[in-house]
Amino acid sequence: MAIIETEAALHEAHRDNHTHRDVNGGWLRPAVFGAMDGLVSNLALMTGVAGGSVSHHTVVLSGLAGLAAGAFSMAAGEYTSVASQRELVEAELDVERRELRKHPKDEEAELAALYEARGVEPPLAREVARQLSRDPEQALEIHAREELGIDPGDLPSPTVAAVSSFGSFALGALVPVLPYLLGASSLWPAVLLALLGLFLCGAVVAKVTARTWWFSGLRQLALGGAAAGVTYALGSLFGTAVG
């Protein structure tokens, strides 16, 4: 009896604790990657400009210009991308809506065939399809999920995508500029703060991956540091050539 109770308790504990991470990343993934993009691109821009032996004022101005240009570019690109995707989905939904209105029996049979292909017995598949097809909006939602892999009630918002991309990129791009705004007169504080930010972003990304936080953080630090080093070298080369 005690063994049965123990097994039941273990089963209950497993059921309560059986959770999965958000494999889509939710808001965390695009926000972190947007900030990381701002960090890497603006750090590389500023180190490239600084490599040309320009004035402190020019480096700061370049960083602020890079922040603004990159944030607006990200927002515009994200808005256009998501809006185009949404328009395509809505067009496909209109096609499906017309088919449900003109050929309801064919669409019902198509839905039943989908369930049969997944292992449902034919009589049961036909009955499920019949019941689900009684409500046109529910039928549209089911067909959209089964055939297109989308949820008509949960389409992405272009405005939300644009605003979030703008904010996360601007926040990341601000990091290497911040030491200058607080009174730093050399590049090193900006580089060190940006590299720390890259490490933290990489560590946060580990929340939506199978990697450990320190591996993900060090990998992003190395990639960002390499980008900054290459652009600094190019800036020095071009600055010497132009000068």
Side-chain angles (χ1 to χ4, degrees):
M1 183 67 177
I3 295 176
I4 295 175
E5 291 177 350
T6 301
E7 290 179 348
L10 289 172
H11 176 73
E12 184 68 23
H14 173 73
R15 187 178 66 182
D16 291 342
N17 295 326
H18 186 68
T19 58
H20 292 284
R21 288 174 293 182
D22 180 7
V23 296
N24 292 321
W27 62 268
L28 178 65
R29 188 173 184 272
V32 171
F33 276 97
M36 197 179 296
D37 190 13
L39 259 169
V40 173
S41 62
N42 218 28
L43 174 62
L45 172 65
M46 292 175 64
T47 52
V49 172
S53 300
V54 298
S55 67
H56 163 272
H57 175 77
T58 302
V59 176
V60 175
L61 183 60
S62 297
L64 293 174
L67 185 157
F72 280 113
S73 176
M74 285 284 291
E78 195 70 17
Y79 184 92
T80 302
S81 174
V82 174
S84 299
Q85 180 186 9
R86 184 178 179 120
E87 289 163 2
L88 174 61
V89 169
E90 289 173 344
E92 291 300 314
L93 288 175
D94 286 339
V95 171
E96 193 64 38
R97 191 177 285 110
R98 286 196 300 271
E99 289 299 312
L100 285 167
R101 186 173 60 252
K102 293 179 179 179
H103 310 288
K105 291 300 182 182
D106 291 341
E107 291 298 307
E108 182 180 319
E110 183 179 339
L111 188 60
L114 284 172
Y115 290 137
E116 287 182 39
R118 294 186 178 184
V120 180
E121 295 181 357
L124 179 58
R126 289 193 294 271
E127 178 61 20
V128 171
R130 186 188 68 80
Q131 293 189 28
L132 291 176
S133 299
R134 287 184 297 192
D135 181 356
E137 287 304 313
Q138 178 177 262
L140 175 64
E141 182 177 334
I142 296 296
H143 278 274
R145 287 179 174 174
E146 294 293 338
E147 298 176 30
L148 303 176
I150 59 172
D151 182 355
D154 190 28
L155 298 181
S157 167
T159 302
V160 171
V163 171
S164 61
S165 294
F166 183 96
S168 60
F169 184 96
L171 184 63
L174 178 63
V175 172
V177 184
L178 195 58
Y180 283 103
L181 298 180
L182 295 177
S185 57
S186 68
L187 182 64
W188 285 111
V191 171
L192 293 176
L193 184 61
L195 291 178
L196 176 61
L198 287 169
F199 179 83
L200 292 176
C201 282
V204 172
V205 168
K207 292 290 185 180
V208 291
T209 67
R211 295 290 187 180
T212 57
W213 64 269
W214 56 266
F215 176 87
S216 184
L218 288 175
R219 179 175 60 184
Q220 194 56 44
L221 186 151
L223 292 173
V230 169
T231 53
Y232 183 86
L234 291 174
S236 299
L237 178 65
F238 295 153
T240 301
V242 173

